[in-house]
Amino acid sequence: MVNVVLGSQWGDEGKGKLVDLLVGKYDIVARCAGGNNAGHTIVVNGVKYDFHMLPSGLVNPNCQNLLGNGVVIHLPSFFKELETLEAKGLTNCRERLFVSSRAHLVFDFHQITDKLRENELAGRSKDGKNIGTTGKGIGPTYATKASRSGLRVHHLVNDLPGAWEEFETKFRRLVETRQLRYGKFDFDIEGQLAQYKVLKEQLKPFVVDSVIFMHNAMKANKKILVEGANALMLDIDFGTYPFVTSSATGIGGVITGLGIPPRSIDEIYGVVKAYTTRVGEGPFPTEQLNAEGDKLQTIGAEFGVTTGRKRRCGWLDLVVLKYSTMINGYTSLNITKLDVLDTFKQIPIGVSYSINGNKLESFPEDLIKLGSVDVEYTTLPGWNEDITSVKTYDALPENAKKYLKFIEDFVGVPVEWVGTGPGRESMLHKDI
Ligand code: GDP
Ligand code: IMO
Ligand code: MG
């Protein structure tokens, strides 16, 4: 059985929390795309765990965890995150963590050029618009992957004669070509290569052929949960290009990032924040640059887990959710952070876009078009009640249930879970 958790908006919907809630029923949690640009916060018994690159399945001591071939890995950050989680009390992490031999490596020079490129964009473009990346080297690493000059895990851990020499040569060439492009940035090639000789030995015990790992697991009827990172509107093809990340963050990335057949996938859970947030630059039609947006930001404690940046806030956008559903084919939804709306008397929901009075059929591909859309809202009454201690779906206030029903009817997908607070216990389940 392979089930998938995917972000349906611009990220930070609360994917980590759903994974944590479900993980007790699974044998394996796998990440298939992205790197440590992700930030998944999980609160268990009052302890807060921040995951960036590692799968959230590590919180369950019985669960194995895989970083698939579609993930990009900065090894110093990988070990740092592992040590931080161990220090917080997670046990046997090293025996339960596996890394695909085909995953690409993120190096410090990727992170340096990520920042140089952002500075260049901020200075050069007409409106001074950089992407607002996390600076973790994600884009430059997928770029070297696509240009076929990247280095993968197997290149590093290979002990056959000549393998290390080839790694060194390719590494030097990568730095040199970047210095030709960006100018001679400060970089200690020899020091880095010495560091990677050590990291190579540290990494070896984690490395697997992930195609075999996944297929053996499926053959043995293991229960596998795929933890999506980033989100559909940040997808390199379907997101608000170029204000996106550099990987396939939707269902396609699950197939290519793990090497599993499409038909092996069972359920696809779409995680939807009850309103919308976005970190970084780029279009956001239902953004509220006003007191309502500030209120969502404050009550929702909307700060990025990876960069600490304030998240931009606005109303739920069902044009986005419908588009996201068409691509990912969610079988059910998890609406998160409904409690954040408790004190809003009226709650607008974006239901369509139009340009000069002409209604658009779907989410537009073009940013100039997107910049000129008028959003039509349907406003639903709030419930003006604290729902954080509600224990069952049926016990939710009527207006909260109407809000959820409106979403279900609009996108044609049932709501299966509702988040009413950050803790593990604050999640209501509805039989569907
Ligand atoms: P992810 O990247 O999709 O895993 O989401 P993040 O962890 O970056 O951001 C979601 C934030 O909302 C985290 O701080 C969670 O602890 C918190 N959270 C998740 N679900 C709920 C909920 O239902 N209510 C509230 N108030 N907070 C939630
Ligand atoms: P999770 O898994 C929110 C955004 C960045 C930036 C853009 C490109 O926590 O939902 P990158 O460093 O990937 O090249 O940045 O994508 N971004 C995210 N925003 N949540 C995420 O992950 C994100 N991953 C990338 O803020 O706008
Ligand atoms: Mg996040």
Side-chain angles (χ1 to χ4, degrees), residues 31 33-41 49-56 67 71-72 77-78 80-81 84-85 134 136 138 227-230 304-308:
R31 278 272 308 261
N36 60 344
N37 52 349
H40 301 175
T41 298
Y49 299 94
D50 285 339
F51 289 88
H52 294 283
M53 182 192 314
L54 302 183
S56 309
L67 294 182
V71 174
V72 292
S77 308
F78 170 92
K80 198 160 161 230
E81 188 171 332
T84 307
L85 293 170
T134 59
K136 302 292 180 188
I138 304 300
E227 176 177 15
N230 327 122
V305 187
T306 300
T307 57

Side-chain angles (χ1 to χ4, degrees), residues 80 94 97 153 157 192 331 344 356 363 392 394 425 432:
K80 198 160 161 230
R94 285 166 199 261
L97 183 56
V153 163
V157 298
Q192 290 271 321
T331 53
F344 287 85
N356 299 328
F363 193 87
T392 63
D394 285 340
E425 64 295 342
I432 56 167

Side-chain angles (χ1 to χ4, degrees), residues 11-17 39-43 273 305 311 336-340 419-422 426:
D12 305 322
E13 297 89 352
K15 297 175 285 294
K17 186 182 149 190
H40 301 175
T41 298
I42 295 171
V43 184
K273 201 175 279 190
V305 187
R311 294 177 184 144
T336 63
K337 304 190 92 161
L338 192 65
D339 53 300
V340 174
T420 57
S426 304

Side-chain angles (χ1 to χ4, degrees), residues 10-12 15 37-40 132-134 229-230 234 244-245 279-280 309:
W10 278 283
D12 305 322
K15 297 175 285 294
N37 52 349
H40 301 175
T133 72
T134 59
N230 327 122
L234 294 168
V244 292
T245 189
V279 262
R309 291 178 291 184

Side-chain angles (χ1 to χ4, degrees), residues 250-388:
I251 195 69
V254 175
I255 312 293
T256 57
L258 287 169
I260 56 172
R263 287 183 184 199
S264 59
I265 294 177
D266 296 293
E267 305 298 329
I268 304 167
Y269 306 129
V271 187
V272 185
K273 201 175 279 190
Y275 47 100
T276 310
T277 60
R278 173 163 203 168
V279 262
E281 303 303 325
F284 177 178
T286 61
E287 182 171 19
Q288 297 300 302
L289 293 165
N290 53 32
E292 306 262 60
D294 292 346
K295 187 173 164 186
L296 288 168
Q297 199 276 328
T298 309
I299 300 179
E302 295 293 356
F303 287 96
V305 187
T306 300
T307 57
R309 291 178 291 184
K310 252 190 191 182
R311 294 177 184 144
R312 299 154 60 194
C313 295
W315 301 121
L316 180 64
D317 188 335
L318 290 182
V319 180
V320 164
L321 188 59
K322 206 164 188 170
Y323 171 73
S324 169
T325 303
M326 280 194 264
I327 294 160
N328 283 340
Y330 307 121
T331 53
S332 67
L333 303 178
N334 170 203
I335 308 293
T336 63
K337 304 190 92 161
L338 192 65
D339 53 300
V340 174
L341 300 178
D342 281 356
T343 57
F344 287 85
K345 302 234 169 327
Q346 305 281 326
I347 312 173
I349 303 179
V351 292
S352 71
Y353 294 170
S354 56
I355 298 179
N356 299 328
N358 298 316
K359 200 166 151 180
L360 304 191
E361 195 182 357
S362 180
F363 193 87
E365 67 292 353
D366 182 89
L367 293 199
I368 297 176
K369 258 192 215 166
L370 197 50
S372 47
V373 298
D374 295 313
V375 182
E376 188 200 328
Y377 290 94
T378 294
T379 299
L380 298 185
W383 41 95
N384 307 305
E385 215 179 301
D386 179 356
I387 60 165
T388 51

Side-chain angles (χ1 to χ4, degrees), residues 198-210:
V198 177
L199 287 168
K200 164 184 167 130
E201 298 308 320
Q202 291 175 351
L203 181 64
K204 271 184 192 166
F206 297 91
V207 180
V208 291
D209 179 332
S210 55

Side-chain angles (χ1 to χ4, degrees), residues 106 252 301:
V106 181

